[in-house]
Amino acid sequence: MRPHDHVGWIYQGGSEFAALAGPYLSEGAALGEKLVYIAEEPDPRDLSQLFSVVDPGAVQIASVAEIYGSDGIIDPPSQLALFMAVLADAKAAGYTGVRVAADSSSLVGDEKQMKAWIQWEIVADHATAGHDFTALCAFSKDKVREDMLRQIAAVHPLSSASGPIPQFRLFSDGAAMHVEGRVDAHAITQLRQRLEGEPEIGRASCRERV
C-alpha cells in the first residue's frame, strides 16, 4: 500500500490480523512513516509474530479502548482530532506520515455502533486522502455479520478479495466525495442514510459501473 491508501480488510482466524499487519507496517517503516498497531487487547503471541517483521521500537501498540474509547461508539469529530494530533506530532518528530493498522471488529457489534462507525469511515477516508495517512481497517469474518461487512466495504476505496463486493463505493479524493458502482434507488437511499449528519465534504460526483 501507498500513502493515502485506505483499505477495509476482512480476515478470518485469531492470528491473521497480526500476520497481515506485519508486512503492511514494514512497508511504512521503509517510507519513514510512524507506525500504529491497534488491537482489541494486544496479544503477546500476536506481537511476537508482528515483531518478527517490524522493529518493536518502531511501532506504537495500543488497545481499541485507548484509541477509540471504552464505550465502543465512535465520535467522528473527536476521533479525527485525535488522529490529526498524532499526525502533527509525527511530522514534528521527522516522520513522513502515519500508517495505522487497526482491528476494528469490536466497534461494529450492533446497529448503534455500526451507524457511528460508518460516519467515522467517511470522515477518516476524507482525511486519509487529503493528509499523510495510510489506513488498514481490519474486520474479523468470525465476529462481524456479512451484511455489516458489505456496508463496511462500501465506505472503503480498497477492500480485500476475502470480503463481500459492495453494490457501490463511497470515497474521497481529498477534495470531493465520489460514488462508484451500481447506483439505483436502493443505493440512493443507503447513501442518504450514510451521509446523514456528515459535515459537507467537497462536491459529490457519481460514476455508474454497468
Side-chain angles (χ1 to χ4, degrees):
M1 292 177 65
R2 297 167 295 181
H4 308 292
D5 280 347
H6 179 206
V7 62
W9 199 281
I10 310 305
Y11 73 92
Q12 192 165 19
S15 62
E16 188 174 322
F17 172 59
L20 169 70
Y24 162 77
L25 292 174
S26 180
E27 287 178 348
L31 294 171
E33 296 171 333
K34 177 179 176 62
L35 312 179
V36 183
Y37 175 91
I38 305 168
E40 178 64 20
E41 290 294 340
D43 187 309
R45 292 169 297 181
D46 291 341
L47 294 182
S48 177
Q49 181 180 15
L50 178 69
F51 294 152
S52 69
V53 181
V54 184
D55 178 0
V59 188
Q60 177 184 341
I61 305 296
S63 69
V64 167
E66 288 174 316
I67 300 297
Y68 297 107
S70 58
D71 64 359
I73 299 176
I74 301 295
D75 177 58
S78 299
Q79 204 62 53
L80 180 61
L82 185 152
F83 277 109
M84 292 304 293
V86 170
L87 177 62
D89 289 345
K91 287 296 196 74
Y95 292 100
T96 59
V98 174
R99 178 171 292 228
V100 179
D103 183 354
S104 306
S105 305
S106 64
L107 297 170
V108 292
D110 57 37
E111 296 300 331
K112 186 175 182 179
Q113 283 185 310
M114 186 66 177
K115 182 177 180 180
W117 183 260
I118 292 297
Q119 291 177 337
W120 162 238
E121 287 285 12
I122 294 169
V123 171
D125 185 60
H126 191 64
T128 300
H131 298 278
D132 292 318
F133 279 108
T134 309
L136 185 152
C137 308
F139 302 88
S140 170
K141 188 178 289 188
D142 302 321
K143 299 177 182 178
V144 183
R145 299 195 324 249
E146 179 80 6
D147 62 311
M148 288 183 166
L149 293 177
R150 195 174 301 279
Q151 292 181 57
I152 289 164
V155 288
H156 286 86
L158 301 171
S159 58
S160 61
S162 55
I165 299 173
Q167 177 179 335
F168 64 87
R169 293 184 191 275
L170 175 66
F171 62 94
S172 174
D173 64 4
M177 299 299 296
H178 301 270
V179 182
E180 182 179 75
R182 183 163 57 85
V183 182
D184 55 18
H186 176 65
I188 294 298
T189 299
Q190 289 186 309
L191 283 166
R192 284 176 176 163
Q193 292 172 346
R194 288 172 191 179
L195 292 171
E196 181 181 324
E198 291 289 350
E200 185 175 341
I201 303 177
R203 180 180 298 173
S205 71
C206 176
R207 287 184 290 178
E208 184 171 0
R209 184 175 61 246
V210 180

